[in-house]
Amino acid sequence: MADFLLEIGLEEVPARMIAGAQAELLRRTLALLEREQLEGVDAVSYSTPRRLAVLVRGVREQQADITEEVTGPAVKIAFKDGVATPAAEAFARKSGVAVADLRTITTPKGEYLAATSVKKGRSAAEVLASELPKEIAGIYWAKNMYWRPGKPERFVRPVLWIVCLLGDAVVPLTFAGKTAGRASYGHRVLSSGEPFEIVAPESYLAQLEGEYVIADVEARRQKIRKALDHVTRAVEAARWREDEELVDSVTHLTEWPAVLLGGFEPAYLELPEEVLVTVMRDHQKYFAVEDAQGKLAPHFLAVLNIALDETNEPIIKQGNERVLRARFNDARFFWEFDQRTPLTERVKLLENVTFQKDLGSYATKSERVRSLAAQLAKIASSRGAAVDASAVDEAATLAKTDLTTELVKEFTELQGVIGGLYAKAQGASATVADAIYDQYLPASAKDSIPRSAEGALLGLADRIDTISGMFALGMEPTGSKDPFALRRAANSVVRILAESGLPLTLADVLGAAQSKPEVAAKLQAFFAERIEFYLREGRGQAYDVVKAVVAAGSEDLRDAVARAEAVTAVRGGEDFIAVSAAFKRMKNILDQAQAKGESIPASVNTSLLSDDSEKALESTGGRVAGDVEALRAKRQYREALTQVASLRPVVNEFFERVMVMAPEADIRANRLALLARTVADFSRIADFSEIVAQG
């Protein structure tokens, strides 16, 4: 056995693409080794902006020989007058044996030649050199590029070098015009710039560190976090603002990270915190610093890809502060300039901002959103929700006006947020300002939903207008393509309906959109998929629980969540598992009966019930169904499911003693009706036949 190392050296790769590619290279390498029966003991992957690497320990150096029995041509074809024909000779050559070693076997079709063939295993080096380039080429990148004129390779960035070692020997694989060796390169600035040789896979990390490269991503991340903590101590009672996404980003932007503390004039703190943090975070990759009360402090932290010392630190600090000051000045200018035109006067400017060429301007979209929001607000109010309808209307009117502001044109990440801040600064009520501010929430799974009912209504109306409009134009997502981010918008609709407390159903939202029947059907199917996704990924429910709950209806998202949680809570009980299996059996019997054209009456004729067990199922089932329905009406689903599980002995006895498909047509039809009623009575919480028995 030997350790295996692969390193692909590249021009700097965008930070957002590195983690996925690192994981995929590891997965593809391990899959190749397993497929070729060269599995290693354990494996780890590394990456920096300039390299992807995989280290697999204990790789087999040779495939095992494969012995197999093969059958050849018929004896009468292989030999003529006792002399081997070309057919026999060809079979012998293919099998790797002499003609004299061929055997005769008797089969149902007659006598045939047979041989024991030994396929010699290839060396690991041969397999890797032959197969690994295909795996490297198969890595998915959001964007690829060509860089060799007239050559077909496409990769995220030009390949500069490849290291491929098995033990201390080079595996001479070739990819993108580069043949692997043992020469790697260190940090672009801090190292000498000259190649150095990797002695063996186990020395990889240490040798790179000697060239100012920390290849282990987690080690680099921890170094950054510790440096952020350490440097922030220079500011009394301060802490850096936790931002895991930014930590990930700077981790993938550096090979030898160092942290610099900088400052800015306190006067800039007069600007909204959201503006300052966006400038620092999204435009400069700086971490914000806050005081003990969580308020922004006039400092920032920059993670650099260079070592700092007494000579260069003051100069680098001054340069970073100068750049940030310029960005803050731009933001302050835009903030003050935009205030000269109130949002109310910007409404008409939306006529000049196109939403989508076939769906009109943002002015027409705003009118549609106003109408949708008003309808949803009316429904919610009629069901007891406290909603300020006038605030919803005002927020919908002003929601998109910040798209005409200079600040949003410069910092597009702040759309909605700027509108809310401007509305507040210009005297709008807190309800209106907060609704505008929150209109794009949740933008991701990590985001919270809007803080108010008015913000939730505005978010629902805006998204359903976009989704229904795009579907009407035939621009729905297909496969992995979703250029208008409609899945993300639908996920947000589902989350708001499930988590906001608004008494609205999906039917209410889709109904307000008033789509054509064929479009409405597509929207229904699209949202059904998003609901299942939310229950699985957002709420952590098992696949079969989700299927069971959705089959019983999922228009009311809050109700669907409650039912799923109740099913999960009781599904491990033996009685519940047994009843679920019985319901699956009932549905199978009913499906088969319908397939055979059996007529199933709408009601049960009790006079045709002869066996005590079917009488018990009819009477006990009816009584329990009433109890379950009463509990279901109160949304006491766990208690209701416990009642369903209590049917186990009655159902078991029924199936032990009764033959549903009786030869008498009237009895058979009546028993099918009993099963149909039982299934219908107890399937309003979940379709129990979808539940898979655990273990």
Side-chain angles (χ1 to χ4, degrees):
M1 292 186 175
D3 293 345
F4 170 70
L5 171 69
L6 171 70
E7 181 192 59
I8 306 169
L10 303 157
E11 291 286 357
E12 273 79 358
V13 177
R16 68 183 185 280
M17 300 183 188
I18 295 175
Q22 176 187 341
E24 187 175 357
L25 178 61
L26 176 62
R27 177 181 60 78
R28 285 178 171 274
T29 302
L30 293 179
L32 168 62
L33 292 173
E34 182 179 0
R35 187 169 65 244
E36 298 293 339
Q37 299 181 334
L38 297 169
E39 301 96 321
V41 176
D42 61 69
V44 64
S45 61
Y46 307 111
S47 69
T48 76
R50 300 182 67 204
R51 71 199 75 228
L52 296 174
V54 170
L55 174 61
V56 187
R57 297 179 180 87
V59 172
R60 297 177 183 174
E61 297 184 69
Q62 182 78 28
Q63 291 177 324
D65 294 343
I66 300 175
T67 301
E68 59 181 349
E69 298 296 322
V70 291
T71 302
V75 172
K76 60 183 179 182
I77 296 175
F79 291 93
K80 296 294 184 183
D81 300 325
V83 178
T85 67
E89 294 172 349
F91 175 59
R93 284 195 302 272
K94 181 179 178 182
S95 303
V97 299
V99 172
D101 293 328
L102 296 176
R103 305 190 315 275
T104 299
I105 60 173
T106 302
T107 74
K109 295 182 179 180
E111 291 188 330
Y112 282 76
L113 288 184
T116 301
S117 174
V118 178
K119 183 179 179 182
K120 193 71 175 175
R122 293 190 294 170
S123 70
E126 181 184 354
V127 172
L128 291 167
S130 170
E131 303 300 324
L132 199 51
K134 303 172 190 174
E135 301 300 330
I136 298 172
I139 295 174
Y140 170 77
W141 300 97
K143 290 185 178 180
N144 280 316
M145 63 181 291
Y146 295 103
W147 69 93
R148 293 205 302 156
K151 300 297 181 181
E153 301 99 348
R154 297 177 71 233
F155 213 59
V156 63
R157 289 294 184 270
V159 176
L160 302 181
W161 74 88
I162 300 175
V163 174
C164 194
L165 301 176
L166 186 63
D168 58 2
V170 172
V171 178
L173 68 81
T174 299
F175 176 73
K178 301 290 181 181
T179 299
R182 61 173 71 249
S184 183
Y185 289 79
H187 191 282
R188 188 182 289 279
V189 175
L190 299 176
S191 72
S192 66
E194 296 298 319
F196 65 96
E197 292 192 345
I198 303 295
V199 177
E202 58 266 24
S203 68
Y204 177 69
L205 287 182
Q207 286 191 258
L208 279 183
E209 194 161 346
E211 297 291 334
Y212 303 97
V213 174
I214 301 174
D216 188 316
V217 176
E218 192 55 37
R220 213 159 59 243
R221 179 181 286 109
Q222 291 308 314
K223 181 178 180 180
I224 289 171
R225 295 187 71 91
K226 288 178 181 178
L228 289 169
D229 290 339
H230 175 74
V231 173
T232 307
R233 294 192 189 106
V235 182
E236 186 177 356
R239 63 194 176 205
W240 59 279
R241 183 165 289 181
E242 182 68 43
D243 189 334
E244 190 60 38
E245 189 175 328
L246 185 54
V247 170
D248 282 342
S249 180
V250 295
T251 298
H252 291 302
L253 284 170
T254 57
E255 290 192 318
W256 193 258
V259 174
L260 171 77
L261 175 67
F264 55 86
E265 291 78 357
Y268 289 118
L269 294 175
E270 296 173 3
L271 285 169
E273 184 176 297
E274 294 89 342
V275 175
L276 298 176
V277 172
T278 296
V279 171
M280 288 189 284
R281 180 189 191 278
D282 295 348
H283 292 260
Q284 301 302 128
K285 304 299 182 187
Y286 296 164
F287 289 86
V289 177
E290 58 187 24
D291 61 23
Q293 287 72 45
K295 294 183 179 179
L296 210 60
H299 301 279
F300 66 89
L301 296 163
V303 178
L304 308 174
N305 189 31
I306 193 170
L308 295 173
D309 56 39
E310 295 178 356
T311 303
N312 65 8
E313 184 170 352
I315 298 172
I316 296 173
K317 176 182 177 182
Q318 185 180 40
N320 279 271
E321 289 176 342
R322 183 172 62 250
V323 171
L324 185 61
R325 189 181 302 115
R327 299 292 288 176
F328 280 171
N329 282 332
D330 288 344
R332 180 161 59 186
F333 171 79
F334 294 139
W335 174 268
E336 294 172 352
F337 180 82
D338 288 338
Q339 298 293 341
R340 301 173 190 174
T341 307
L343 295 184
T344 52
E345 295 182 16
R346 292 180 179 275
V347 174
K348 61 180 179 293
L349 299 179
L350 291 175
E351 296 174 359
N352 301 319
V353 183
T354 301
F355 168 58
Q356 201 277 338
K357 64 182 182 67
D358 296 312
L359 296 175
S361 68
Y362 269 99
T364 56
K365 177 177 176 59
S366 295
E367 287 303 311
R368 293 195 303 269
V369 171
R370 283 182 67 191
S371 175
L372 286 166
Q375 293 179 62
L376 296 176
K378 185 176 181 180
I379 296 171
S381 296
S382 70
R383 294 173 183 166
V387 176
D388 186 338
S390 63
V392 172
D393 184 69
E394 184 179 352
T397 302
L398 302 177
K400 305 302 178 185
T401 53
D402 67 352
L403 296 175
T404 68
T405 65
E406 298 304 313
L407 196 54
V408 168
K409 291 176 186 176
E410 182 70 13
F411 306 109
T412 56
E413 306 92 337
L414 290 174
Q415 56 184 294
V417 171
I418 291 300
L421 294 173
Y422 282 171
K424 184 177 181 180
Q426 294 168 15
S429 69
T431 303
V432 171
D434 288 347
I436 296 172
Y437 188 102
D438 291 348
Q439 64 181 292
Y440 294 109
L441 292 177
S444 71
K446 297 179 181 179
D447 288 338
S448 59
I449 62 172
R451 292 165 288 175
S452 65
E454 291 77 15
L457 289 167
L458 177 58
L460 287 172
D462 182 28
R463 291 179 176 91
I464 202 61
D465 172 72
T466 298
I467 295 170
S468 61
M470 292 299 182
F471 267 67
L473 295 175
M475 296 182 177
E476 61 264 28
T478 56
S480 61
K481 296 181 180 180
D482 186 10
F484 301 102
L486 300 185
R487 290 192 183 98
R488 184 171 64 187
N491 290 342
S492 297
V493 169
V494 170
R495 275 195 64 193
I496 291 173
L497 289 175
E499 300 173 19
S500 68
L502 283 172
L504 294 173
T505 67
L506 180 61
D508 297 327
V509 175
L510 295 180
Q514 297 181 338
S515 303
K516 293 180 179 179
E518 61 273 18
V519 175
K522 289 184 178 181
L523 287 171
Q524 195 73 44
F526 176 62
F527 272 97
E529 176 189 286
R530 294 297 90 199
I531 290 169
E532 290 191 15
F533 176 83
Y534 171 73
L535 290 173
R536 285 196 316 272
E537 306 299 327
R539 308 297 294 205
Q541 298 296 332
Y543 180 84
D544 60 331
V545 171
V546 172
K547 285 292 186 184
V549 168
V550 169
S554 58
E555 290 290 332
D556 186 333
L557 266 298
R558 290 187 298 160
D559 185 66
V561 170
R563 287 185 284 121
E565 291 174 347
V567 172
T568 297
V570 304
R571 66 172 297 183
E574 290 184 6
D575 288 347
F576 185 77
I577 292 173
V579 169
S580 297
F583 271 86
K584 188 187 295 288
R585 185 175 178 182
M586 290 181 192
K587 286 197 70 175
N588 287 340
I589 292 172
L590 291 169
D591 290 343
Q592 292 169 9
Q594 289 178 325
K596 293 177 181 178
E598 293 282 352
S599 176
I600 304 177
S603 60
V604 179
N605 184 348
T606 56
S607 66
L608 292 176
L609 300 176
S610 57
D611 191 277
D612 288 344
S613 62
E614 61 180 331
K615 292 178 181 178
L617 179 59
E618 193 279 332
S619 59
T620 305
R623 175 180 56 76
V624 173
D627 295 340
V628 168
E629 183 58 26
L631 291 168
R632 193 190 71 82
K634 299 175 185 177
R635 296 196 175 187
Q636 295 177 348
Y637 294 124
R638 190 176 299 192
E639 294 83 352
L641 292 174
T642 301
Q643 287 292 314
V644 174
S646 72
L647 286 173
R648 178 185 181 181
V650 176
V651 172
N652 284 353
E653 187 175 2
F654 173 83
F655 278 120
E656 286 175 4
R657 297 182 52 176
V658 173
M659 183 174 69
V660 177
M661 303 304 287
E664 301 85 357
D666 55 344
I667 294 177
R668 181 171 67 248
N670 198 53
R671 287 174 178 172
L672 289 171
L674 177 59
L675 294 189
R677 194 190 79 175
T678 303
V679 170
D681 283 347
F682 296 102
S683 295
R684 298 185 67 184
I685 297 175
D687 181 350
F688 305 114
S689 67
E690 295 283 354
I691 300 297
V692 177
Q694 294 176 317

